[in-house]
Amino acid sequence: MLKRTISGAVYVALITGFFLIRELTKYPEIFHILIWFMGAMGTFEVARAVKDYSVKGALWCAVIFGILFSPVYFVFEHFIFSGWGWLVAIDFALLFVLAFAIYCIIKNKTANEYVVSVLPFIYPSLLLLTMHLTTDMIGQTGFIATLLIFVISPLTDTFAYLVGMTYNKIRKGQAKKLCPRLSPKKTVAGGIGGLVGGVLAGFLVWVIFRPELNFFSPVLLLIIAGFVGGILTQIGDLFESFIKRKVGLKDMGKIMPGHGGVMDRIDGMIFASLLICVIFLIV
């Protein structure tokens, strides 16, 4: 428990530090370093997890991809084709996906081997592209969008854990399970608690920062974002649980004692970032 608390505190301090540096230096680009680390480590963890089910060499290709993906986006977006970095990054990912398709056809590999081999190129790096996009949004919009990503998911997880654990104790271990085949410990009560946490996250961001958004009711928009983000966070958790159950792993890594790997921290955040990015691109 002590290790879990300490590593959790270090994680929160690291995220807070990046937000402070971002705002104090007025260089939001600094946040791309954090996203790069998450993408690179997450890609490695996923590739390592599915190594025994993928084609030969997939792990090292994924490592190379994870290291290069964020820099490819950043360089093209900020120095070459401003506004089109996202397209270059997607094309970069497609290059790896198509290369593996050709390789699997030549080597007569199965469709399952191909899908597993290209999974690390999409999950998490390609999905984290949305986080790069929110970081590059201009002014307060970019700050609020990025903040929501890093607030909704943790509060969703925290409330899901606390409510689920408390209700399960009240029910003496007989609380209805949310998805027992994927995650036996998750309960319906915890899922509802997670949604409350997501809504609270959106509301707190509005109360503290009062962002001016191009929407008739900013507070309603942030509450909706928190609610749907809470749903997507839990879907992300279940998706990672699905992968871990298939390959027989408890945690994706050990970089955070008591919490697991990077993917164990950002699994829900990745899915929530898709929603936040779309919302703030529209408003």
Coordinates of all heavy atoms in Angstrom, one line a residue, residues 72-144:
V72 N 7.5 12.7 -35.0 CA 7.1 12.9 -36.4 C 6.0 13.9 -36.4 O 6.0 14.9 -37.2 CB 6.7 11.6 -37.1 CG1 5.9 11.8 -38.3 CG2 7.9 10.7 -37.4
Y73 N 5.0 13.8 -35.6 CA 3.9 14.7 -35.5 C 4.4 16.1 -35.2 O 4.0 17.1 -35.8 CB 2.8 14.3 -34.4 CG 1.9 15.4 -34.1 CD1 0.8 15.7 -34.9 CD2 2.1 16.2 -32.9 CE1 0.0 16.8 -34.6 CE2 1.3 17.3 -32.6 CZ 0.2 17.6 -33.5 OH -0.6 18.6 -33.2
F74 N 5.2 16.2 -34.1 CA 5.7 17.5 -33.6 C 6.5 18.3 -34.7 O 6.2 19.5 -34.9 CB 6.5 17.3 -32.4 CG 6.9 18.6 -31.7 CD1 6.1 19.3 -30.9 CD2 8.2 19.2 -32.0 CE1 6.4 20.5 -30.3 CE2 8.5 20.4 -31.4 CZ 7.6 21.0 -30.5
V75 N 7.4 17.6 -35.3 CA 8.3 18.2 -36.3 C 7.4 18.8 -37.5 O 7.6 19.9 -37.9 CB 9.4 17.3 -36.8 CG1 10.1 17.9 -38.0 CG2 10.4 17.0 -35.7
F76 N 6.6 17.9 -38.0 CA 5.8 18.4 -39.1 C 4.8 19.4 -38.8 O 4.5 20.4 -39.5 CB 5.1 17.2 -39.8 CG 5.9 16.4 -40.8 CD1 6.8 15.4 -40.3 CD2 5.9 16.7 -42.1 CE1 7.6 14.7 -41.2 CE2 6.7 16.0 -43.0 CZ 7.6 15.0 -42.5
E77 N 4.2 19.3 -37.6 CA 3.2 20.3 -37.2 C 3.8 21.6 -36.9 O 3.2 22.7 -37.2 CB 2.4 19.8 -35.9 CG 1.4 20.7 -35.3 CD 0.2 21.0 -36.3 OE1 -0.1 20.2 -37.2 OE2 -0.4 22.1 -36.1
H78 N 4.9 21.7 -36.2 CA 5.5 22.9 -35.7 C 6.6 23.5 -36.6 O 6.9 24.7 -36.5 CB 6.0 22.7 -34.3 CG 5.0 22.5 -33.3 ND1 4.4 23.5 -32.6 CD2 4.4 21.3 -32.9 CE1 3.5 23.0 -31.7 NE2 3.5 21.7 -31.9
F79 N 7.1 22.7 -37.6 CA 8.2 23.3 -38.4 C 8.0 23.1 -39.9 O 8.7 23.8 -40.7 CB 9.5 22.6 -38.0 CG 9.9 22.8 -36.6 CD1 9.7 21.8 -35.6 CD2 10.4 24.0 -36.2 CE1 10.1 22.0 -34.3 CE2 10.8 24.2 -34.9 CZ 10.6 23.2 -33.9
I80 N 7.1 22.3 -40.3 CA 7.0 22.0 -41.8 C 5.6 22.3 -42.3 O 5.4 23.2 -43.1 CB 7.4 20.6 -42.1 CG1 8.9 20.3 -41.6 CG2 7.3 20.3 -43.6 CD1 9.3 18.9 -41.8
F81 N 4.6 21.5 -41.9 CA 3.2 21.7 -42.4 C 2.3 22.0 -41.2 O 1.6 21.1 -40.8 CB 2.8 20.4 -43.1 CG 3.6 20.1 -44.3 CD1 4.1 18.8 -44.5 CD2 3.8 21.0 -45.3 CE1 4.8 18.5 -45.7 CE2 4.5 20.8 -46.4 CZ 5.1 19.5 -46.6
S82 N 2.3 23.2 -40.7 CA 1.4 23.5 -39.6 C 0.0 23.3 -40.0 O -0.5 23.7 -41.0 CB 1.6 25.0 -39.3 OG 0.8 25.4 -38.2
G83 N -0.7 22.6 -39.1 CA -2.1 22.3 -39.3 C -2.3 20.9 -39.9 O -3.4 20.4 -40.0
W84 N -1.2 20.3 -40.4 CA -1.3 19.0 -41.1 C -0.4 17.9 -40.5 O -0.3 16.8 -41.0 CB -0.9 19.1 -42.6 CG -1.9 20.0 -43.3 CD1 -1.8 21.3 -43.6 CD2 -3.1 19.6 -43.9 NE1 -2.8 21.8 -44.3 CE2 -3.7 20.7 -44.5 CE3 -3.8 18.4 -43.9 CZ2 -5.0 20.7 -45.1 CZ3 -5.1 18.3 -44.5 CH2 -5.6 19.5 -45.1
G85 N 0.1 18.2 -39.3 CA 0.9 17.2 -38.6 C 0.1 16.0 -38.3 O 0.7 14.9 -38.3
W86 N -1.1 16.1 -38.0 CA -2.0 14.9 -37.6 C -2.1 14.0 -38.8 O -2.0 12.8 -38.6 CB -3.4 15.4 -37.2 CG -4.1 16.1 -38.3 CD1 -4.1 17.4 -38.6 CD2 -5.0 15.5 -39.3 NE1 -4.9 17.7 -39.7 CE2 -5.5 16.6 -40.1 CE3 -5.5 14.2 -39.5 CZ2 -6.4 16.3 -41.2 CZ3 -6.4 14.0 -40.6 CH2 -6.8 15.1 -41.4
L87 N -2.2 14.5 -40.0 CA -2.3 13.7 -41.2 C -1.0 12.9 -41.5 O -1.0 11.8 -41.9 CB -2.7 14.5 -42.4 CG -2.9 13.8 -43.8 CD1 -4.0 12.7 -43.6 CD2 -3.2 14.8 -44.9
V88 N 0.2 13.6 -41.3 CA 1.5 13.0 -41.5 C 1.6 11.9 -40.5 O 2.1 10.8 -40.8 CB 2.6 14.0 -41.4 CG1 4.0 13.4 -41.5 CG2 2.5 15.1 -42.5
A89 N 1.2 12.1 -39.2 CA 1.4 11.1 -38.2 C 0.5 9.9 -38.5 O 1.0 8.7 -38.3 CB 0.9 11.7 -36.8
I90 N -0.7 10.1 -39.0 CA -1.6 9.0 -39.4 C -0.9 8.2 -40.6 O -0.9 7.0 -40.6 CB -3.0 9.5 -39.8 CG1 -3.7 10.0 -38.5 CG2 -3.8 8.4 -40.4 CD1 -5.0 10.6 -38.8
D91 N -0.4 8.9 -41.5 CA 0.3 8.3 -42.7 C 1.5 7.5 -42.2 O 1.7 6.4 -42.7 CB 0.7 9.3 -43.7 CG -0.5 9.9 -44.4 OD1 -1.5 9.3 -44.5 OD2 -0.3 11.0 -45.0
F92 N 2.2 8.0 -41.2 CA 3.3 7.3 -40.7 C 2.9 6.0 -40.0 O 3.6 4.9 -40.2 CB 4.0 8.2 -39.6 CG 5.2 7.6 -39.0 CD1 6.4 7.4 -39.7 CD2 5.2 7.2 -37.6 CE1 7.5 6.8 -39.1 CE2 6.4 6.7 -37.1 CZ 7.5 6.5 -37.8
A93 N 1.8 6.0 -39.3 CA 1.3 4.8 -38.7 C 0.8 3.8 -39.8 O 1.0 2.6 -39.7 CB 0.1 5.1 -37.7
L94 N 0.1 4.3 -40.8 CA -0.4 3.5 -41.9 C 0.8 2.8 -42.6 O 0.6 1.6 -43.1 CB -1.2 4.3 -42.9 CG -2.6 4.7 -42.4 CD1 -3.3 5.6 -43.4 CD2 -3.5 3.5 -42.1
L95 N 1.9 3.5 -42.7 CA 3.1 2.9 -43.4 C 3.5 1.6 -42.6 O 3.8 0.6 -43.3 CB 4.2 3.9 -43.3 CG 5.6 3.4 -43.9 CD1 5.4 3.2 -45.4 CD2 6.7 4.5 -43.7
F96 N 3.5 1.6 -41.3 CA 3.9 0.4 -40.6 C 2.8 -0.7 -40.7 O 3.1 -1.9 -40.8 CB 4.1 0.8 -39.1 CG 5.4 1.3 -38.8 CD1 5.7 2.7 -39.0 CD2 6.4 0.5 -38.2 CE1 6.9 3.2 -38.7 CE2 7.6 1.0 -37.9 CZ 7.9 2.4 -38.2
V97 N 1.5 -0.2 -40.7 CA 0.4 -1.2 -40.8 C 0.4 -1.9 -42.1 O 0.3 -3.1 -42.2 CB -0.9 -0.5 -40.6 CG1 -2.1 -1.4 -40.9 CG2 -1.0 0.0 -39.1
L98 N 0.7 -1.1 -43.2 CA 0.7 -1.7 -44.5 C 2.0 -2.6 -44.7 O 1.9 -3.6 -45.4 CB 0.7 -0.6 -45.6 CG -0.6 0.2 -45.7 CD1 -0.5 1.3 -46.7 CD2 -1.7 -0.8 -46.2
A99 N 3.1 -2.2 -44.2 CA 4.3 -3.0 -44.2 C 4.1 -4.3 -43.6 O 4.5 -5.4 -44.2 CB 5.5 -2.2 -43.6
F100 N 3.4 -4.4 -42.5 CA 3.1 -5.6 -41.8 C 2.1 -6.5 -42.6 O 2.2 -7.7 -42.6 CB 2.7 -5.4 -40.4 CG 3.8 -5.5 -39.4 CD1 4.5 -4.4 -39.0 CD2 4.1 -6.7 -38.8 CE1 5.5 -4.4 -38.1 CE2 5.2 -6.8 -37.9 CZ 5.9 -5.7 -37.5
A101 N 1.2 -5.8 -43.3 CA 0.2 -6.5 -44.1 C 0.9 -7.3 -45.2 O 0.7 -8.5 -45.5 CB -0.8 -5.6 -44.7
I102 N 1.9 -6.6 -45.9 CA 2.6 -7.2 -47.0 C 3.5 -8.3 -46.5 O 3.6 -9.4 -47.1 CB 3.5 -6.1 -47.7 CG1 2.6 -5.1 -48.3 CG2 4.5 -6.8 -48.7 CD1 3.4 -3.9 -48.9
Y103 N 4.1 -8.1 -45.3 CA 5.0 -9.1 -44.7 C 4.2 -10.4 -44.4 O 4.6 -11.5 -44.6 CB 5.7 -8.6 -43.5 CG 6.5 -9.6 -42.8 CD1 7.8 -9.9 -43.2 CD2 6.1 -10.3 -41.6 CE1 8.6 -10.8 -42.5 CE2 6.8 -11.2 -41.0 CZ 8.1 -11.5 -41.4 OH 8.9 -12.4 -40.8
C104 N 3.0 -10.2 -43.8 CA 2.2 -11.3 -43.4 C 1.7 -12.1 -44.6 O 1.5 -13.3 -44.5 CB 1.0 -10.8 -42.5 SG 1.5 -10.3 -40.8
I105 N 1.4 -11.4 -45.7 CA 0.9 -12.1 -46.9 C 2.0 -12.9 -47.5 O 1.9 -14.1 -47.9 CB 0.4 -11.0 -47.9 CG1 -0.9 -10.4 -47.4 CG2 0.2 -11.7 -49.3 CD1 -1.3 -9.2 -48.3
I106 N 3.2 -12.3 -47.5 CA 4.4 -13.0 -48.1 C 4.7 -14.3 -47.2 O 5.0 -15.3 -47.8 CB 5.6 -12.1 -48.2 CG1 5.4 -11.0 -49.2 CG2 6.9 -12.9 -48.6 CD1 6.5 -9.9 -49.2
K107 N 4.7 -14.1 -45.9 CA 5.0 -15.2 -45.0 C 3.8 -16.1 -44.7 O 4.0 -17.0 -43.8 CB 5.6 -14.6 -43.7 CG 6.9 -13.9 -43.9 CD 8.0 -14.9 -44.3 CE 9.4 -14.2 -44.4 NZ 10.5 -15.1 -44.8
N108 N 2.7 -15.9 -45.3 CA 1.5 -16.7 -45.1 C 1.1 -16.7 -43.6 O 0.7 -17.8 -43.0 CB 1.8 -18.2 -45.5 CG 1.9 -18.3 -47.0 OD1 1.2 -17.6 -47.8 ND2 2.9 -19.1 -47.5
K109 N 1.1 -15.6 -43.0 CA 0.7 -15.5 -41.6 C -0.8 -15.4 -41.5 O -1.5 -14.9 -42.5 CB 1.3 -14.2 -40.9 CG 2.9 -14.3 -40.9 CD 3.4 -15.4 -40.1 CE 4.9 -15.4 -40.0 NZ 5.5 -16.5 -39.2
T110 N -1.4 -15.7 -40.4 CA -2.8 -15.7 -40.2 C -3.3 -14.2 -40.0 O -2.5 -13.4 -39.6 CB -3.3 -16.5 -39.1 OG1 -2.8 -16.0 -37.8 CG2 -2.8 -18.0 -39.2
A111 N -4.6 -14.0 -40.2 CA -5.2 -12.7 -39.9 C -5.0 -12.3 -38.5 O -4.8 -11.1 -38.1 CB -6.7 -12.7 -40.3
N112 N -5.2 -13.3 -37.6 CA -5.0 -13.0 -36.1 C -3.6 -12.5 -35.8 O -3.4 -11.6 -35.0 CB -5.4 -14.3 -35.3 CG -6.9 -14.5 -35.2 OD1 -7.7 -13.7 -35.5 ND2 -7.2 -15.8 -34.9
E113 N -2.6 -13.2 -36.4 CA -1.2 -12.7 -36.1 C -1.0 -11.3 -36.6 O -0.3 -10.5 -36.0 CB -0.3 -13.7 -36.8 CG -0.2 -15.1 -36.2 CD 0.7 -16.0 -37.0 OE1 0.5 -16.2 -38.2 OE2 1.7 -16.5 -36.4
Y114 N -1.6 -11.0 -37.8 CA -1.5 -9.7 -38.3 C -2.1 -8.6 -37.4 O -1.5 -7.6 -37.1 CB -2.1 -9.6 -39.7 CG -2.2 -8.2 -40.2 CD1 -1.1 -7.4 -40.6 CD2 -3.5 -7.5 -40.3 CE1 -1.2 -6.1 -41.1 CE2 -3.6 -6.2 -40.8 CZ -2.5 -5.5 -41.1 OH -2.6 -4.2 -41.6
V115 N -3.3 -8.9 -37.0 CA -4.1 -7.9 -36.1 C -3.3 -7.7 -34.8 O -3.1 -6.5 -34.4 CB -5.5 -8.4 -35.8 CG1 -6.2 -7.6 -34.8 CG2 -6.3 -8.4 -37.1
V116 N -2.8 -8.8 -34.2 CA -2.1 -8.6 -33.0 C -0.8 -7.9 -33.2 O -0.4 -7.0 -32.4 CB -1.8 -10.0 -32.4 CG1 -0.8 -9.9 -31.2 CG2 -3.1 -10.7 -32.0
S117 N -0.1 -8.1 -34.3 CA 1.1 -7.4 -34.6 C 1.0 -5.9 -34.8 O 1.9 -5.2 -34.4 CB 1.8 -8.0 -35.9 OG 2.1 -9.4 -35.7
V118 N -0.1 -5.5 -35.4 CA -0.3 -4.0 -35.6 C -1.0 -3.3 -34.5 O -1.1 -2.1 -34.5 CB -1.0 -3.8 -37.0 CG1 -0.3 -4.4 -38.1 CG2 -2.5 -4.3 -36.9
L119 N -1.5 -4.1 -33.5 CA -2.2 -3.5 -32.4 C -1.4 -2.4 -31.7 O -1.9 -1.3 -31.5 CB -2.6 -4.5 -31.4 CG -3.3 -4.0 -30.1 CD1 -4.6 -3.3 -30.4 CD2 -3.5 -5.2 -29.1
P120 N -0.1 -2.6 -31.4 CA 0.7 -1.6 -30.7 C 0.9 -0.3 -31.5 O 1.2 0.8 -30.9 CB 2.1 -2.3 -30.5 CG 1.8 -3.7 -30.5 CD 0.7 -3.9 -31.6
F121 N 0.7 -0.3 -32.9 CA 0.9 0.9 -33.7 C -0.4 1.8 -33.5 O -0.3 3.0 -33.8 CB 1.1 0.5 -35.1 CG 2.3 -0.4 -35.4 CD1 2.1 -1.5 -36.1 CD2 3.5 -0.1 -34.8 CE1 3.2 -2.4 -36.4 CE2 4.6 -0.9 -35.0 CZ 4.5 -2.1 -35.8
I122 N -1.5 1.2 -33.2 CA -2.7 1.9 -33.0 C -3.0 2.2 -31.6 O -3.4 3.4 -31.2 CB -3.9 1.1 -33.6 CG1 -3.6 0.8 -35.1 CG2 -5.2 1.8 -33.5 CD1 -4.6 -0.1 -35.8
Y123 N -2.8 1.3 -30.7 CA -3.1 1.4 -29.3 C -1.8 1.2 -28.5 O -1.2 0.1 -28.5 CB -4.1 0.3 -28.9 CG -4.4 0.2 -27.4 CD1 -5.4 1.1 -26.9 CD2 -3.8 -0.7 -26.6 CE1 -5.7 1.0 -25.6 CE2 -4.2 -0.8 -25.3 CZ -5.1 0.0 -24.8 OH -5.5 -0.1 -23.4
P124 N -1.2 2.3 -27.9 CA -1.8 3.6 -27.7 C -1.4 4.7 -28.6 O -2.1 5.8 -28.6 CB -1.3 3.9 -26.3 CG 0.1 3.4 -26.3 CD 0.1 2.1 -27.2
S125 N -0.3 4.7 -29.3 CA 0.3 5.9 -29.9 C -0.7 6.6 -30.8 O -0.8 7.8 -30.7 CB 1.6 5.5 -30.7 OG 2.6 5.3 -29.8
L126 N -1.3 5.9 -31.8 CA -2.2 6.6 -32.7 C -3.3 7.2 -32.0 O -3.8 8.3 -32.4 CB -2.7 5.6 -33.8 CG -3.5 6.2 -34.9 CD1 -2.6 7.3 -35.7 CD2 -3.9 5.1 -35.9
L127 N -3.9 6.6 -31.0 CA -5.0 7.1 -30.2 C -4.5 8.4 -29.4 O -5.3 9.3 -29.2 CB -5.6 6.1 -29.3 CG -6.3 4.9 -30.0 CD1 -6.8 3.9 -29.0 CD2 -7.4 5.4 -30.9
L128 N -3.3 8.3 -29.0 CA -2.8 9.5 -28.2 C -2.5 10.7 -29.1 O -2.2 11.8 -28.6 CB -1.4 9.1 -27.6 CG -1.5 8.3 -26.3 CD1 -0.2 7.9 -25.8 CD2 -2.2 9.2 -25.2
L129 N -2.7 10.6 -30.4 CA -2.6 11.7 -31.3 C -3.6 12.8 -30.9 O -3.4 14.0 -31.0 CB -2.9 11.3 -32.8 CG -2.9 12.3 -33.8 CD1 -1.5 13.1 -33.9 CD2 -3.2 11.7 -35.2
T130 N -4.8 12.3 -30.4 CA -5.8 13.3 -30.0 C -5.3 14.2 -28.8 O -5.7 15.3 -28.7 CB -7.1 12.6 -29.5 OG1 -6.8 11.6 -28.5 CG2 -7.7 11.9 -30.7
M131 N -4.4 13.6 -28.0 CA -3.9 14.4 -26.9 C -2.9 15.4 -27.4 O -2.8 16.6 -26.9 CB -3.2 13.5 -25.9 CG -3.1 14.0 -24.5 SD -2.4 12.9 -23.3 CE -3.7 11.6 -23.2
H132 N -2.1 15.1 -28.4 CA -1.3 16.0 -29.1 C -2.1 17.2 -29.6 O -1.7 18.4 -29.5 CB -0.5 15.4 -30.2 CG 0.7 14.6 -29.8 ND1 1.8 15.1 -29.1 CD2 0.9 13.2 -29.9 CE1 2.6 14.1 -28.8 NE2 2.2 13.0 -29.3
L133 N -3.2 16.9 -30.3 CA -4.1 17.9 -30.9 C -4.6 18.8 -29.8 O -4.7 20.0 -30.1 CB -5.2 17.2 -31.7 CG -4.7 16.4 -32.9 CD1 -5.9 15.7 -33.6 CD2 -4.1 17.3 -33.9
T134 N -5.1 18.3 -28.7 CA -5.7 19.2 -27.7 C -4.6 20.1 -27.1 O -4.8 21.2 -26.8 CB -6.3 18.3 -26.5 OG1 -5.3 17.4 -26.0 CG2 -7.5 17.6 -27.1
T135 N -3.4 19.5 -26.9 CA -2.3 20.3 -26.4 C -2.0 21.5 -27.3 O -1.6 22.6 -26.9 CB -1.0 19.5 -26.2 OG1 -1.3 18.4 -25.3 CG2 0.2 20.3 -25.8
D136 N -2.1 21.3 -28.6 CA -1.8 22.4 -29.6 C -2.9 23.3 -29.9 O -2.8 24.2 -30.7 CB -1.4 21.7 -30.9 CG 0.1 21.3 -30.9 OD1 0.9 21.9 -30.1 OD2 0.5 20.4 -31.6
M137 N -4.1 23.1 -29.2 CA -5.2 24.1 -29.3 C -4.8 25.4 -28.7 O -4.1 25.5 -27.7 CB -6.5 23.6 -28.7 CG -7.1 22.4 -29.4 SD -8.6 21.7 -28.6 CE -8.9 20.4 -29.6
I138 N -5.2 26.5 -29.3 CA -4.8 27.8 -29.0 C -5.4 28.3 -27.6 O -6.6 28.1 -27.4 CB -5.1 28.8 -30.1 CG1 -4.4 28.5 -31.4 CG2 -4.7 30.3 -29.7 CD1 -4.9 29.3 -32.5
G139 N -4.5 29.0 -26.8 CA -5.0 29.6 -25.6 C -5.6 28.8 -24.5 O -5.2 27.6 -24.3
Q140 N -6.7 29.3 -23.9 CA -7.3 28.7 -22.8 C -8.0 27.4 -23.2 O -8.1 26.4 -22.5 CB -8.4 29.6 -22.2 CG -9.0 29.0 -20.9 CD -10.2 29.8 -20.4 OE1 -11.0 30.2 -21.2 NE2 -10.3 30.0 -19.1
T141 N -8.4 27.3 -24.5 CA -9.1 26.1 -25.0 C -8.2 24.9 -24.9 O -8.6 23.8 -24.4 CB -9.5 26.3 -26.5 OG1 -10.4 27.4 -26.6 CG2 -10.1 25.0 -27.0
G142 N -6.9 25.1 -25.3 CA -6.0 24.0 -25.2 C -5.7 23.5 -23.7 O -5.6 22.4 -23.4
F143 N -5.6 24.5 -22.9 CA -5.4 24.2 -21.4 C -6.5 23.4 -20.8 O -6.3 22.4 -20.2 CB -5.1 25.5 -20.7 CG -5.1 25.3 -19.2 CD1 -3.9 24.8 -18.6 CD2 -6.1 25.6 -18.4 CE1 -3.8 24.6 -17.2 CE2 -6.1 25.5 -17.0 CZ -4.9 24.9 -16.4
I144 N -7.7 23.9 -21.1 CA -8.9 23.3 -20.5 C -9.1 21.9 -21.1 O -9.4 20.9 -20.3 CB -10.2 24.1 -20.7 CG1 -10.1 25.5 -20.0 CG2 -11.4 23.4 -20.3 CD1 -10.0 25.3 -18.5

